[in-house]
Amino acid sequence: MENSETIDDDKLAEVAKALGVTVDTIKNFSDEAAINYFNSFNEAVNNSHFGNNNHCIFNPLDKLIEVY
């Protein structure tokens, strides 16, 4: 498949089913769109509560002392 310029519809349907996407998704795929999606996804995660959320609002040593 990698070396062929075209893929028949039956084989494309099998690949789409294995990937869990539609045939149209594969036909309309572009490298640039995929890269832009993942770049914007990464920026969205980093700017949300899910990314880089490691700022303590308390002193961890104070909490450790409270335990003992």
Side-chain angles (χ1 to χ4, degrees):
M1 264 190 334
E2 292 179 20
N3 294 329
S4 17
E5 289 194 28
T6 59
I7 300 173
D8 63 351
D9 289 338
D10 294 335
K11 184 60 86 173
L12 190 60
E14 287 180 40
V15 171
K17 184 178 179 182
L19 294 175
V21 297
T22 64
V23 173
D24 290 334
T25 301
I26 295 175
K27 287 182 178 180
N28 296 327
F29 177 81
S30 75
D31 292 337
E32 186 175 330
I35 290 169
N36 286 337
Y37 170 78
F38 285 109
N39 284 345
S40 64
F41 179 78
N42 187 33
E43 290 170 4
V45 168
N46 285 337
N47 294 330
S48 70
H49 294 293
F50 297 109
N52 297 332
N53 192 15
N54 56 358
H55 303 288
C56 296
I57 57 172
F58 58 87
N59 186 345
L61 291 176
D62 288 342
K63 294 295 181 179
L64 182 62
I65 290 170
E66 287 179 14
V67 172
Y68 295 105

